[in-house]
Amino acid sequence: MNIGWEWIYGLHGLLDGLSLQGVVNVVWAVADAVIVYTYLRFGRRELPDFLSGTMFAAFSVLVFATGFLVQWMFVVEFDWHLASRYSAFLQNLLMSGLFVAMFAARRGVRGQTMTIAVAKWIGTLAPTIVFGAYEHSAFILTLGILCSAFDLVYIGLLWWARRQPAFAAAPTSVPADRLIGVN
């Protein structure tokens, strides 16, 4: 959803008249493209062996197409101004929960940094204050507070795990039989 957001609003910002926000969105879209490349290059390794490369590719196409479609439906439903805000905060809440889930699935901090965790938290907290508190949007304020709660849990998990030598030595992946419920 994030790459869909960046590309849709980045291109809209450039086509609707050059703006600083449009340029920033395009820069983030390019950064997201690097993240997508990394996902396509290494993401298959995070999944159980019974999922083939073809299944991974098909699922990836479905996920990215869904993300773009959902972002576009926000524009159709709410118009550009509100759609950009509502969808951004909903996807940030999803990402905040997924960071906690990634920590749990990896059973530790592999591939995760405190810098990214804190930057994600502050990067959502700032617009929460502007759009939620100062502009009096209860919806955005509520989503922003929920994002902060999940982000702080994630930061706490990273901090805790780095101080637990026994935890750091735990396996970093779950055997396939535990993923699919086979005993």
Side-chain angles (χ1 to χ4, degrees):
M1 287 184 69
N2 196 53
I3 193 165
W5 193 100
E6 304 293 359
W7 281 102
I8 287 171
Y9 294 103
L11 292 174
H12 174 72
L14 293 178
L15 296 174
D16 196 40
L18 192 60
S19 70
L20 177 60
Q21 185 63 55
V23 171
V24 168
N25 291 346
V26 170
V27 169
W28 279 114
V30 171
D32 282 345
V34 173
I35 293 169
V36 169
Y37 167 78
T38 303
Y39 161 78
L40 293 173
R41 176 78 171 89
F42 301 106
R44 171 69 189 86
R45 297 178 192 170
E46 299 292 322
L47 301 173
D49 292 337
F50 71 87
L51 291 173
S52 69
T54 302
M55 291 170 73
F56 174 72
F59 181 72
S60 297
V61 168
L62 176 63
V63 167
F64 288 117
T66 299
F68 273 88
L69 179 61
V70 168
Q71 292 296 358
W72 186 249
M73 289 300 98
F74 269 95
V75 172
V76 169
E77 184 70 23
F78 298 109
D79 204 9
W80 290 100
H81 179 72
L82 290 178
S84 66
R85 292 177 180 199
Y86 291 169
S87 63
F89 279 89
L90 283 168
Q91 78 185 23
N92 266 291
L93 181 56
L94 176 62
M95 286 190 294
S96 295
L98 289 172
F99 273 110
V100 173
M102 178 174 59
F103 176 89
R106 290 183 176 179
R107 296 182 169 193
V109 299
R110 181 175 54 84
Q112 303 165 73
T113 69
M114 187 63 77
T115 302
I116 290 172
V118 171
K120 196 275 184 218
W121 173 52
I122 293 170
T124 305
L125 184 60
T128 296
I129 293 167
V130 172
F131 303 135
Y134 291 146
E135 294 186 8
H136 307 290
S137 172
F139 183 72
I140 290 175
L141 184 60
T142 301
L143 291 178
I145 290 168
L146 291 170
C147 286
S148 279
F150 279 96
D151 291 345
L152 291 170
V153 165
Y154 181 60
I155 289 167
L157 287 169
L158 291 178
W159 180 84
W160 172 81
R162 293 192 189 279
R163 282 151 184 76
Q164 303 295 322
F167 185 81
T172 58
S173 63
V174 178
D177 63 331
R178 293 201 42 216
L179 286 172
I180 59 174
V182 176
N183 290 326

